[in-house]
Amino acid sequence: METETKRTNKNLLVKGIKTMGIALVLMFLGPTLFYVALSNSEKSLYIPILIVASIFCILAIYFAFKGLKTIMDSMFK
């Protein structure tokens, strides 16, 4: 019987790293837009920018978890 050594799935690893890159961009973009929205609360675009910033922050968390799970799957599955 041959035992097959487990190797990292490189394609899946690259996909996970790309997902983490998207999360990193969103982690900076979301709070920056949040700050811009809160510092200009008298402007007419206050609510739409605040909504977009909140969505970006939520997406950053989602993509971070998804990317981390993909990276773990590439190494341990």
Side-chain angles (χ1 to χ4, degrees):
M1 278 195 201
E2 287 184 36
T3 58
E4 184 179 321
T5 58
K6 296 187 182 218
R7 294 184 175 243
T8 302
N9 185 346
K10 292 190 192 310
N11 294 332
L12 202 56
L13 180 64
V14 169
K15 183 179 175 185
I17 291 173
K18 286 180 184 178
T19 306
M20 291 298 283
I22 293 169
L24 183 67
V25 169
L26 289 171
M27 282 179 193
F28 284 102
L29 194 59
T32 302
L33 282 176
F34 215 90
Y35 174 77
V36 168
L38 292 178
S39 65
N40 295 320
S41 61
E42 67 277 352
K43 304 283 184 186
S44 63
L45 288 176
Y46 167 69
I47 297 295
I49 291 176
L50 197 62
I51 291 170
V52 169
S54 300
I55 290 171
F56 281 174
C57 289
I58 292 168
L59 283 175
I61 295 169
Y62 171 75
F63 278 111
F65 277 110
K66 184 178 176 185
L68 196 57
K69 183 181 180 328
T70 305
I71 290 172
M72 290 300 171
D73 286 344
S74 75
M75 288 186 208
F76 297 117
K77 236 179 194 177

